[in-house]
C-alpha cells in the first residue's frame, strides 16, 4: 500500500531549520523559524510559566480527560486577553486546539463544513502553512495584494480592491498583528476600511493572531482583532500562545467562532466539539492550564506581561539598531522600513538568489522570500548582518 505514496513538499521554514542545524560553521546566524531567542541565543521558559508549572505540579491531582473543548476557564481567560469586552461572551464558541496551527486547521474545516464552495482570501504573501493546509483540504485560496515590494509597507489600495471581489460566504484571512512574513501591518483607519468591505461583500473574516504582545503591546496588538470582531456579524479567530507565552512545544491555541446572534452560539460550540473529536479528541491541556493559571493570578499575570514587554522592547531595539546600521552603510534610508515594521519578522525584499548567497557566503539563514526573524539577532550579529546585506548587494 505505501508504495503508492508520493513525496510531499517539504515545509520551507522547517527545512531551513534542519539545514541550519546541519551547517558546521560556528558563526552561522539563524534568522529562519519564528522562535524568540534572547541575546544569548536561548529560547527561555518564561518566569511566570515556570512558576505556574511548579504550582500545577504541586496541586494537580488528576490527568483525567477535560472536555472536548478543553477547560472552559482557558477559553474564558484567552477570550478576555484577546477580545476584552469587545463582543458579548454569549456569542462566542471556543475550543482549545493544538497550537495556532490546530486552530487554523479547525477553522478551515468549519468553513468547509458550513460552505463547501467557500474560497479563502489570503494575503500575498501569507504564512506558507495557511496555503498548504487550504490546499490539503481542497479549499480554494485566493491571494489578495498586501505587500508593496517598493515601499515594503502595505499595498492598501491593492488589498481593498482585491477584497471587493469576495462573495457572501467567502472568508478573508487577516493577520491580527505582526504580519507573518512581512512585518507590515494595517493602521486603525485601514482596519475600519477593511470592515466596511467585509460588510459590503458579506465575506466572513478569519483572524490569525499568533504574536499578540510582540508588536506595539498586548492591548494595541489586539485592537484590530477587537474592532473587526465588534464590527461584523460573524468572525473566526485562531489564536496561539506559542510565542507570547513561549510554550511552543506544548501546542496551546484557541479557536473562536463568533455568531451573529447568541442563539447560534450553541450550534457553533457543538461543531467545534465535533471537529475536535474527529481530529484528535481532547486538545492538549498542559500549556492551556499553565496559561490559565497565569492569566487568572494577578501576580503571575503582571510578571508575564512585564517579561513579554521586555521581549518586545528588545526586538524593537534590534530593529532600530539594524535600520541605523544599514542607513550608515548604505548612506540612504532605504532600509528604514525595518524600524517601521512590527513583530518578529521583516521581509527584506531580497531575491531568492541573494538570500541563497547570504546563506552560502555568510552562514546567514533567512526564509527564501527574504523574511528575517529579528529575534534571531543580537547586538553583536546586527552589524555582521548589515555588512553582509550591503555586500551581497541587497
Ligand atoms: C514561523 O512562521 O516561523 C512560525 O510560525 C513557526 C512555524 O510553525 O512555521
Amino acid at each position: 500500500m505505501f508504495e503508492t505514496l508520493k513525496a510531499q513538499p517539504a515545509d520551507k521554514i522547517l527545512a531551513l531549520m534542519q539545514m541550519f542545524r546541519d551547517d558546521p560553521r560556528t558563526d552561522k546566524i539563524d534568522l529562519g523559524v519564528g522562535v524568540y531567542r534572547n541575546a544569548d541565543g536561548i529560547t527561555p521558559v518564561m518566569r511566570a510559566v515556570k512558576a505556574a508549572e511548579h504550582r500545577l505540579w504541586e496541586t494537580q491531582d488528576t490527568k483525567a480527560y477535560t472536555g472536548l473543548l478543553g477547560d472552559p476557564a482557558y477559553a474564558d481567560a484567552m477570550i478576555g486577553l484577546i477580545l476584552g469586552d469587545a463582543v458579548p461572551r454569549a456569542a462566542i464558541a471556543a475550543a482549545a486546539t493544538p497550537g495556532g496551527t490546530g486552530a487554523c486547521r479547525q477553522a478551515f474545516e468549519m468553513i468547509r463544513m458550513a460552505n463547501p464552495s467557500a474560497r479563502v482570501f489570503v494575503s500575498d504573501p501569507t504564512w506558507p502553512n495557511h496555503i498548504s493546509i487550504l490546499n490539503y483540504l481542497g479549499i480554494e485560496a485566493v491571494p489578495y495584494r498586501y505587500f508593496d515590494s517598493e515601499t515594503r509597507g502595505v499595498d492598501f489600495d491593492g488589498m481593498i480592491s482585491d477584497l471587493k471581489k469576495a462573495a457572501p460566504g467567502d472568508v478573508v484571512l487577516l493577520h491580527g498583528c505582526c504580519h507573518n512574513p512581512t512585518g507590515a501591518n494595517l493602521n486603525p483607519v485601514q482596519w475600519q476600511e477593511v470592515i466596511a468591505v467585509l460588510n459590503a461583500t458579506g465575506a466572513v473574516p478569519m483572524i490569525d493572531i499568533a504574536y499578540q504582545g510582540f508588536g506595539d503591546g498586548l492591548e494595541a496588538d489586539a485592537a484590530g482583532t477587537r474592532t473587526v470582531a465588534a464590527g461584523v456579524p460573524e468572525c473566526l479567530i485562531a489564536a496561539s500562545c506559542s510565542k507570547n507565552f513561549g510554550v511552543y512545544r506544548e501546542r496551546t491555541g484557541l479557536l473562536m467562532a463568533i455568531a451573529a446572534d447568541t442563539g447560534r452560539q450553541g450550534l457553533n460550540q457543538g461543531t467545534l466539539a465535533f471537529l475536535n473529536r474527529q481530529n484528535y479528541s481532547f486538545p492538549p491541556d498542559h500549556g492551556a492550564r499553565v496559561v490559565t493559571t497565569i492569566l487568572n493570578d494577578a501576580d503571575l499575570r503582571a510578571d508575564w506581561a512585564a517579561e513579554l514587554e521586555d521581549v518586545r522592547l528588545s526586538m524593537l531595539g534590534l530593529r532600530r539598531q539594524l535600520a541605523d546600521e544599514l542607513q550608515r552603510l548604505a548612506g540612504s534610508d532605504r532600509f528604514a522600513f525595518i524600524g517601521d515594521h512590527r513583530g518578529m519578522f521583516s521581509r527584506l525584499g531580497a531575491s531568492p538568489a541573494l538570500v541563497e548567497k547570504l546563506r552560502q557566503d555568510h552562514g546567514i539563514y533567512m526564509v527564501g522570500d527574504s523574511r528575517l526573524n529579528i529575534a534571531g539577532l543580537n547586538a553583536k550579529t546586527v552589524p555582521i548582518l548589515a555588512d553582509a546585506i550591503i555586500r551581497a548587494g541587497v
Side-chain angles (χ1 to χ4, degrees):
M1 175 177 92
F2 298 142
E3 68 279 2
T4 64
L5 294 176
K6 294 189 187 74
Q8 298 299 324
D11 182 284
K12 291 199 176 74
I13 297 172
L14 304 187
L16 193 73
M17 206 165 140
Q18 191 54 47
M19 269 167 97
F20 181 81
R21 283 187 185 142
D22 295 342
D23 187 335
R25 286 176 283 188
T26 50
D27 57 351
K28 59 189 176 175
I29 301 174
D30 182 7
L31 307 179
V33 69
V35 171
Y36 172 74
R37 283 190 292 278
N38 65 18
D40 300 320
I42 291 164
T43 305
V45 180
M46 294 179 87
R47 295 185 301 264
V49 168
K50 268 277 181 227
E53 286 185 318
H54 192 235
R55 197 178 287 182
L56 279 180
W57 183 79
E58 282 181 334
T59 58
Q60 194 171 48
D61 50 14
T62 182
K63 295 277 188 191
Y65 292 127
T66 53
L68 273 181
L69 297 162
D71 183 353
Y74 168 65
D76 287 343
M78 284 292 288
I79 288 169
L81 179 70
I82 297 163
L83 288 178
D85 55 9
V87 177
R89 177 67 184 86
I92 309 172
T97 57
T101 306
C104 287
R105 169 68 188 256
Q106 300 297 73
F108 294 153
E109 293 218 26
M110 190 176 185
I111 291 163
R112 191 177 58 172
M113 211 181 215
N115 177 13
S117 57
R119 302 173 298 167
V120 176
F121 283 61
V122 292
S123 62
D124 181 15
T126 190
W127 183 49
N129 211 23
H130 284 149
I131 296 175
S132 180
I133 301 173
L134 287 168
N135 287 342
Y136 179 63
L137 293 175
I139 300 172
E140 187 184 349
V142 181
Y144 61 83
R145 275 171 283 174
Y146 186 81
F147 188 64
D148 182 332
S149 49
E150 281 301 310
T151 64
R152 271 86 153 186
V154 177
D155 172 6
F156 192 64
D157 291 343
M159 175 179 181
I160 289 296
S161 87
D162 287 349
L163 291 188
K164 284 184 178 158
K165 295 175 193 147
D170 283 337
V171 171
V172 173
L173 179 51
L174 300 156
H175 295 227
C177 61
C178 307
H179 185 268
N180 179 6
T182 67
N185 298 293
L186 299 179
N187 65 36
V189 177
Q190 292 171 329
W191 277 111
Q192 290 294 352
E193 279 195 53
V194 169
I195 293 170
V197 174
L198 290 167
N199 285 330
T201 58
V204 176
M206 168 177 160
I207 302 175
D208 184 354
I209 179 160
Y211 295 88
Q212 188 184 355
F214 271 38
D216 291 310
L218 274 171
E219 292 298 302
D221 289 348
T225 304
R226 290 176 187 178
T227 322
V228 173
V232 297
E234 293 181 333
C235 180
L236 285 159
I237 301 172
S240 171
C241 300
S242 296
K243 329 278 166 159
N244 54 4
F245 287 86
V247 290
Y248 305 84
R249 64 176 64 170
E250 301 297 351
R251 311 312 299 136
T252 310
L254 188 82
L255 173 60
M256 295 177 231
I258 302 173
D261 61 72
T262 52
R264 301 220 187 118
Q265 186 266 2
L267 188 63
N268 288 348
Q269 191 87 354
T271 304
L272 293 182
F274 174 81
L275 285 172
N276 268 7
R277 183 65 170 160
Q278 303 319 302
N279 283 328
Y280 39 75
S281 217
F282 298 86
D285 179 71
H286 180 73
R289 205 157 287 273
V290 166
V291 165
T292 313
T293 305
I294 294 170
L295 292 177
N296 287 342
D297 179 285
D299 291 343
L300 288 182
R301 186 175 180 133
D303 189 47
W304 164 70
E307 191 172 355
L308 178 59
E309 184 65 0
D310 286 345
V311 163
R312 184 180 81 81
L313 293 176
S314 78
M315 287 189 293
L316 269 185
L318 289 165
R319 277 190 183 283
R320 270 190 225 110
Q321 192 194 345
L322 181 58
D324 290 352
E325 191 65 17
L326 283 166
Q327 176 168 38
R328 196 178 66 75
L329 293 176
S332 83
D333 61 1
R334 68 193 169 93
F335 292 101
F337 64 87
I338 292 175
D340 299 335
H341 285 167
R342 282 295 177 272
M344 209 175 220
F345 307 117
S346 269
R347 183 184 255 207
L348 206 53
S351 67
L354 284 179
V355 170
E356 182 58 16
K357 192 170 160 55
L358 287 170
R359 187 179 71 76
Q360 281 186 356
D361 297 356
H362 303 273
I364 294 171
Y365 283 70
M366 57 181 80
V367 182
D369 65 357
S370 75
R371 181 192 86 170
L372 59 93
N373 174 9
I374 294 290
L377 291 165
N378 60 44
K380 284 198 212 99
T381 53
V382 164
I384 298 172
L385 171 66
D387 184 61
I389 287 174
I390 298 299
R391 274 194 217 207
V394 176

